[in-house]
Amino acid sequence: MSLWDRQIKPMLAFLANPFNDTNFLFEIKFDGTRGIAYIDKLKKDVKLLNRRMIYFEFRYPELQDMWKDADANRVILDGEVVVFKKGKPDFRLLAEREHMDDKIRIEFLSKLHPATYVVFDILHKDGKDLVDVPLSERKKILEKTVKESERVLLSTYVIGEGKKFFNKVKKKKLEGVMAKRLQSTYQIGKRSKDWLKIKSLHTIDAIIVGYTSGEGWREKYFGALICGIYYKGKLHYLGRVGTGLDEKGYAELTEQLKKLETDKNPFEKFDEDPEIMQKIHWVKPKLVAEVKFMNLTPDFKMRAPSFIRLREDKLLEECRLEEIL
């Protein structure tokens, strides 16, 4: 069966530190939503599939003309949907787009905060699957197949000089760098050490399993999120996260949390102060939060954590502590 007739799970990366290696290319890690793009030029049709295997192109009408940028009848691309502000990715603006279902509002935001599809790989072209072709060759095919426009950007890269490239990216306060082995195949749905992500900040994808009652001006909102992550197959308690949102963010997330409330404590082992325990409201594990932190304690708790965003493209089973240790 051709890839054209399949829902493709994207290839994933492991964490790494900055390094130099002439066997790798290095490109910017954009802060957006991962999307596999199915482009049918003959039908003038574009579909976008996220990591949860959900099509989400209806939220980005401005990307529906991407077929104009492809020199192929049918092509499958891998890339990131990004909203730029002053030349830098702005995930808060993107998050507003990600939660929108109202058609009128979607159209309005598509003009107010238009998205760009940043393309970094090509998986299929006119009946030929390319996943077994080395990345270096896929990049050449991609550059011949897709042209840049107001809708589409091609991800640029350097070869070998990973440390220098990372320092430039960090100086610009971007999310980080992707390192990819030049001879790597595209390994559908797998996390591979042929692809490595090098982040400017320590971040972790944590499962929200509860929240504490708020106090003071946040009395009607949550106080802190109770976060967990899978470790050795069991849910491990990562700690509490109570900073990183504005009042609108607290209000919106509190509304989501209250809809998920349950009486069940999901941890086999959970140790907190009795005073904190009295304030906890457990929720069904449905939401994933990206959290930045200083470091992890010896018992794997986050130090100085701060909420960044919800990760609607992240599956619960992908939240594993082993990936960052």
Side-chain angles (χ1 to χ4, degrees):
M1 180 190 294
S2 166
L3 287 181
W4 184 261
D5 301 309
R6 290 176 53 187
Q7 286 190 324
I8 299 170
K9 286 190 174 183
M11 181 174 172
L12 303 174
F14 280 95
L15 278 173
N17 294 316
F19 66 96
N20 294 329
D21 192 327
T22 55
N23 294 308
F24 281 78
L25 65 79
F26 300 86
E27 56 191 350
I28 295 172
K29 185 180 188 302
F30 285 94
D31 195 9
T33 294
R34 187 82 172 271
I36 302 292
Y38 296 77
I39 298 174
D40 190 325
K41 191 161 188 170
L42 296 178
K43 293 183 179 180
K44 299 181 180 179
D45 182 59
V46 175
K47 286 183 167 48
L48 286 166
L49 184 70
N50 69 18
R51 286 171 60 176
R52 291 185 174 225
M53 301 289 99
I54 297 171
Y55 291 102
F56 66 101
E57 66 278 355
F58 72 95
R59 288 197 171 105
Y60 298 95
E62 69 271 37
L63 300 181
Q64 286 303 300
D65 285 341
M66 285 200 300
W67 58 268
K68 295 178 180 178
D69 308 312
D71 185 17
N73 291 329
R74 281 181 169 180
V75 63
I76 302 176
L77 307 173
D78 191 1
E80 201 88 5
V81 177
V82 181
V83 173
F84 288 98
K85 182 180 181 181
K86 296 180 180 179
K88 293 183 178 180
D90 190 317
F91 192 83
R92 290 189 183 275
L93 293 179
L94 181 72
E96 187 177 3
R97 305 281 315 267
E98 287 286 288
H99 293 105
M100 197 56 56
D101 291 315
D102 180 81
K103 289 184 179 181
I104 295 175
R105 184 72 175 162
I106 285 171
E107 287 289 344
F108 173 73
L109 290 175
S110 73
K111 295 177 174 61
L112 184 64
H113 303 307
T116 301
Y117 187 60
V118 183
V119 191
F120 48 74
D121 216 327
I122 183 167
L123 313 184
H124 176 95
K125 181 179 179 180
D126 288 340
K128 183 179 180 182
D129 294 335
L130 302 172
V131 291
D132 292 328
V133 175
L135 175 62
S136 57
E137 292 302 312
R138 297 202 308 274
K139 285 286 192 182
K140 292 176 184 177
I141 297 170
L142 175 61
E143 289 161 11
K144 292 178 181 177
T145 305
V146 176
K147 64 180 180 180
E148 293 190 330
S149 69
E150 61 183 11
R151 299 166 293 268
V152 175
L153 283 179
L154 290 173
S155 177
T156 57
Y157 58 89
V158 301
I159 295 174
E161 295 292 328
K163 290 183 178 179
K164 184 178 179 181
F165 187 68
F166 174 78
N167 288 332
K168 286 183 178 180
V169 166
K170 187 175 182 179
K171 193 172 182 180
K172 292 180 179 179
K173 296 183 178 179
L174 298 174
E175 186 183 5
V177 167
M178 292 297 301
K180 299 177 181 178
R181 192 179 299 277
L182 289 164
Q183 293 303 305
S184 63
T185 58
Y186 190 95
Q187 298 153 49
I188 294 174
K190 293 182 179 179
R191 194 176 299 277
S192 169
K193 291 188 177 178
D194 285 336
W195 284 19
L196 302 167
K197 51 188 175 183
I198 306 166
K199 292 190 173 185
S200 300
L201 294 170
H202 291 300
T203 66
I204 196 167
D205 293 317
I207 303 168
I208 301 174
V209 297
Y211 67 94
T212 60
S213 302
E215 298 177 347
W217 71 268
R218 281 162 55 186
E219 186 176 2
K220 57 185 177 181
Y221 309 130
F222 70 87
L225 301 172
I226 306 298
C227 294
I229 194 168
Y230 286 110
Y231 180 53
K232 296 182 178 179
K234 296 181 179 180
L235 198 62
H236 169 79
Y237 177 45
L238 272 175
R240 292 175 284 127
V241 183
T243 63
L245 297 95
D246 56 18
E247 186 164 4
K248 181 183 177 184
Y250 282 110
E252 291 177 347
L253 186 48
T254 298
E255 185 179 351
Q256 292 187 64
L257 292 170
K258 287 188 174 180
K259 292 177 181 177
L260 296 173
E261 284 194 16
T262 178
D263 295 329
K264 186 177 180 181
N265 175 352
F267 298 108
E268 284 188 14
K269 295 181 180 179
F270 181 75
D271 184 27
E272 262 295 359
D273 294 336
E275 186 179 343
I276 298 297
M277 292 293 292
Q278 292 177 5
K279 299 178 181 179
I280 291 177
H281 304 260
W282 300 110
V283 300
K284 297 174 184 175
K286 300 284 187 180
L287 302 176
V288 175
E290 183 176 6
V291 180
K292 62 182 177 181
F293 62 100
M294 186 181 299
N295 53 31
L296 293 176
T297 64
D299 60 344
F300 305 133
K301 301 287 195 308
M302 298 178 290
R303 280 199 178 109
S306 180
F307 179 92
I308 299 177
R309 56 175 167 167
L310 287 179
R311 290 293 304 267
E312 295 195 2
D313 60 333
K314 195 85 173 182
L315 299 172
L316 298 181
E317 54 265 32
E318 293 182 274
C319 301
R320 296 191 301 120
L321 189 58
E322 286 88 348
E323 290 176 18
I324 68 167
L325 296 179

